């Protein structure tokens, strides 16, 4: 109950994304966000993609779709 995961900007301590992990559903993994750098500027995209897998190798097919 009340389980969550969040992404926080360490410069200003502001929460950038928050995902409720207490939701029920038929999934074993959650791809939380995507980080990328373009011309030295970092950006973050919140995703919240529910998928199946317990290792990075299990998740690679879903990760490739996102990239």
């Amino acid at each position: 109950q009340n389980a969550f995961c969040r992404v926080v900007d360490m410069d200003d301590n502001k929460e950038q994304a928050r995902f409720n992990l207490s939701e029920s559903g038929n999934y074993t993994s959650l791809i939380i966000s995507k980080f990328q750098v373009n011309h030295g500027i970092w950006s973050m995209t919140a995703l919240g993609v529910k998928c199946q897998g317990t290792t990075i190798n299990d998740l690679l097919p879903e990760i490739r779709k996102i990239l």
Side-chain angles (χ1 to χ4, degrees):
Q1 285 183 332
N2 200 26
F4 61 89
C5 180
R6 63 189 196 140
V7 178
V8 176
D9 184 330
M10 297 302 287
D11 288 336
D12 58 13
N13 207 33
K14 289 187 179 177
E15 188 172 84
Q16 301 297 310
R18 181 183 187 104
F19 296 97
N20 180 0
L21 302 177
S22 300
E23 293 179 13
S24 62
N26 188 21
Y27 64 96
T28 57
S29 299
L30 181 67
I31 301 173
I32 296 170
S33 60
K34 173 173 73 170
F35 291 88
Q36 51 194 39
V37 64
N38 189 10
H39 300 290
I41 299 172
W42 283 90
S43 65
M44 189 271 303
T45 304
L47 299 171
V49 176
K50 298 173 183 175
C51 48
Q52 297 297 321
T54 56
T55 68
I56 188 70
N57 288 333
D58 296 340
L59 300 176
L60 282 177
E62 195 66 40
I63 291 170
R64 286 186 181 109
K65 291 180 196 174
I66 295 166
L67 296 178

